[in-house]
């Protein structure tokens, strides 16, 4: 872009900048605007949609995404999409879930290395061993897993529906994989016995009960919201725990004057942009996997049609069954 066209570009993207002006400086936006405009044109050219998770940065979330939400919402929207191309601005398991649910679409992830510490914590062979160890006990698998792990499972869940899924099975005991803290947090809410696996989210495991106490002491009246991937002692100290979408809904509904979200950094920025009158206290834990997705990489994905997500047909049918069973219940 030549310097002479810069003011025009800023003027053309002004309505989008207006959405994020409370969290992005004009000087920063001027570096984002060329990619934003190029991505909007490429989406039209390719008949593409961008699905962005709540942890994506505000220039992606508010600037180029067609659909935003938590893992559950992104899965549902991917299934319904009639676009030729779905770009998943999120991590690999989310793109795999989109492909499972809408296999005839081209699903792109802008960076193949956008993984997840939970998905890395368990393999399909581990799940087979657990089934041998606990014969007849249903296996509920968090969507933050590979398709191969889902294929070995009875049903999937997300943080938005985990309790409902566990209770829907009508059994006294379930195995819940791989997030130990999510499983422990659900176990506190239900009479169903929950067998856990020692996987953790590298972002949420870093929050402690002491963090919450210090935040309350330093910010009188602050309302504390926590993601259920946080350790149980953090959830116990919080005023509310729920999926990223549930936290966003809480803020929209309750409008707490001062609030802290015990979760990934960008989530606060994205909600703060919608609620400039509320004060967001921001303890900041970044997800390095989510942060691999950037505007230049989304632009490149649409230009080159890479990286296309494919799933081994030997595991796709089993994984799809586990995800579809979840969606039928929730
Ligand atoms: P949500 O389903 O709540 O959006 O969580 C996904 C995730 O990766 C949280 O770390
Ligand atoms: Fe995985 Fe945690 Fe990152 Fe979510 S925040 S993608 S659970 S590492």
């Amino acid at each position: 872009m030549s310097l002479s066209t810069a003011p025009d570009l800023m003027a053309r993207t002004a309505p989008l900048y207006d959405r994020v002006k409370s969290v992005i400086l004009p000087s920063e936006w001027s570096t984002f605007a060329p990619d934003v405009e190029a991505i909007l044109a490429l989406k039209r050219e390719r008949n593409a949609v961008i699905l962005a998770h709540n942890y994506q940065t505000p220039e992606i979330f508010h600037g180029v995404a067609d659909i935003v939400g938590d893992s559950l919402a992104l899965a549902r929207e991917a299934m319904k999409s009639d676009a030729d191309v779905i770009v998943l601005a999120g991590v690999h398991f989310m793109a795999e879930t989109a492909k499972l649910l809408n296999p005839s679409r081209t699903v792109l992830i802008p960076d193949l290395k956008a993984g997840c510490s939970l998905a890395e914590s368990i393999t399909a062979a581990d799940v087979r061993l657990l089934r041998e160890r606990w014969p007849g006990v249903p296996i509920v698998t968090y969507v933050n897993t590979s398709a191969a792990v889902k294929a070995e499972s009875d049903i999937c869940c997300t943080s938005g529906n985990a309790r409902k899924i566990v209770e829907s099975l009508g059994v006294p005991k379930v195995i819940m994989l791989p997030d130990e803290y999510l499983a422990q947090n659900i176990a506190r809410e239900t009479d169903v016995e929950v067998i856990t696996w020692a996987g953790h989210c590298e972002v949420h495991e870093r929050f402690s009960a002491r963090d919450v106490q210090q935040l309350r002491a330093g910010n009188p009246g602050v309302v504390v919201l926590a993601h259920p991937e946080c350790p149980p002692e953090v959830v116990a100290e919080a005023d509310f725990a729920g999926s990223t979408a549930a936290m966003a809904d809480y803020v929209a509904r309750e409008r707490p004057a001062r609030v802290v979200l015990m979760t990934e950094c960008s989530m606060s920025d994205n909600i703060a942009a919608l609620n400039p009158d509320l004060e967001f206290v921001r303890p900041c834990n970044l997800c390095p996997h989510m942060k691999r997705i950037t505007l230049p990489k989304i632009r490149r994905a649409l230009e080159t049609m890479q990286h296309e997500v494919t799933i081994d047909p030997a595991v796709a049918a089993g994984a799809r069954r586990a995800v579809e069973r979840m969606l039928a219940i929730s």
Side-chain angles (χ1 to χ4, degrees):
M1 181 190 62
S2 73
L3 277 181
S4 60
T5 63
D8 292 347
L9 180 56
M10 291 301 275
R12 286 197 301 273
T13 57
L16 287 174
Y17 180 61
D18 206 45
R19 298 184 194 172
V20 290
K21 62 177 189 277
S22 63
V23 292
I24 296 181
L25 295 169
S27 56
E28 285 180 286
W29 185 256
S30 68
T31 67
F32 294 142
D35 285 327
V36 167
E37 194 165 62
I39 290 166
L40 298 182
L42 282 159
K43 281 201 297 184
R44 288 191 292 272
E45 210 176 289
R46 300 280 196 198
N47 187 25
V49 286
I50 299 179
L51 271 54
H53 185 259
N54 289 326
Y55 294 163
Q56 292 296 296
T57 48
E59 68 278 9
I60 295 174
F61 187 94
H62 291 289
V64 297
D66 298 283
I67 288 165
V68 295
D70 65 358
S71 308
L72 183 58
L74 297 184
R76 284 200 183 114
E77 294 295 334
M79 186 166 66
K80 287 195 293 200
S81 178
D82 56 8
D84 294 324
V85 179
I86 297 172
V87 179
L88 208 308
V91 292
H92 194 265
F93 76 80
M94 295 175 179
E96 238 182 16
T97 306
K99 183 70 184 175
L100 281 174
L101 293 170
N102 207 337
S104 63
R105 310 294 155 190
T106 299
V107 176
L108 302 177
I109 183 147
D111 188 325
L112 270 176
K113 289 190 187 143
C116 169
S117 65
L118 283 167
E120 289 302 312
S121 74
I122 191 159
T123 65
D126 293 327
V127 186
R128 286 193 290 272
L129 284 174
L130 282 164
R131 212 181 265 292
E132 275 174 33
R133 165 83 180 77
W134 301 97
V137 179
I139 298 181
V140 180
T141 292
Y142 198 26
V143 284
N144 298 39
T145 46
S146 66
V149 165
K150 290 183 177 78
E152 296 292 338
S153 311
D154 294 294
I155 189 166
C156 285
C157 74
T158 72
S159 58
N161 62 19
R163 178 179 172 186
K164 190 171 189 174
I165 297 293
V166 164
E167 294 186 339
S168 75
L169 299 173
V171 292
K173 190 192 294 192
V174 300
I175 300 169
M176 212 174 156
L177 308 170
D179 187 345
E180 183 174 29
Y181 296 147
L182 175 70
Q184 289 171 342
N185 285 321
I186 296 302
R188 283 161 31 124
E189 296 177 5
T190 176
D191 293 334
V192 179
E193 186 188 339
V194 181
I195 299 164
T196 63
W197 180 259
H200 297 139
C201 162
E202 66 188 86
V203 174
H204 294 95
E205 71 176 350
R206 300 211 300 269
F207 293 116
S208 69
R210 196 167 149 71
D211 291 337
V212 181
Q213 290 150 8
Q214 284 177 342
L215 283 161
R216 286 199 195 278
N219 302 278
V222 72
V223 172
V224 180
L225 312 186
H227 194 276
E229 290 170 11
C230 290
E233 61 270 23
V234 173
V235 169
E237 291 279 341
D239 298 297
F240 173 83
S243 76
T244 55
M247 286 191 276
D249 290 348
Y250 182 102
V251 173
R253 192 178 61 243
E254 303 292 333
R255 303 200 51 74
R258 187 179 247 191
V259 61
V260 60
L261 275 57
M262 309 300 284
T263 192
E264 212 270 349
C265 307
S266 294
M267 170 98 196
S268 297
D269 292 337
N270 290 331
I271 307 187
L274 296 169
N275 299 280
D277 50 327
L278 307 182
E279 183 192 347
F280 287 78
V281 181
R282 289 187 173 90
C284 207
N285 283 353
L286 277 171
C287 173
H289 311 290
M290 289 281 180
K291 299 295 95 113
R292 280 185 174 276
I293 309 301
T294 60
L295 286 176
K297 287 185 193 170
I298 293 174
R299 179 177 178 171
R300 206 172 318 129
L302 283 165
E303 282 167 351
T304 63
M305 295 295 282
Q306 284 182 342
H307 304 278
E308 189 171 351
V309 175
T310 54
I311 302 172
D312 180 351
V315 301
R320 186 176 302 118
R321 176 193 38 74
V323 178
E324 285 180 348
R325 194 174 168 202
M326 166 189 84
L327 291 176
I329 288 170
S330 66

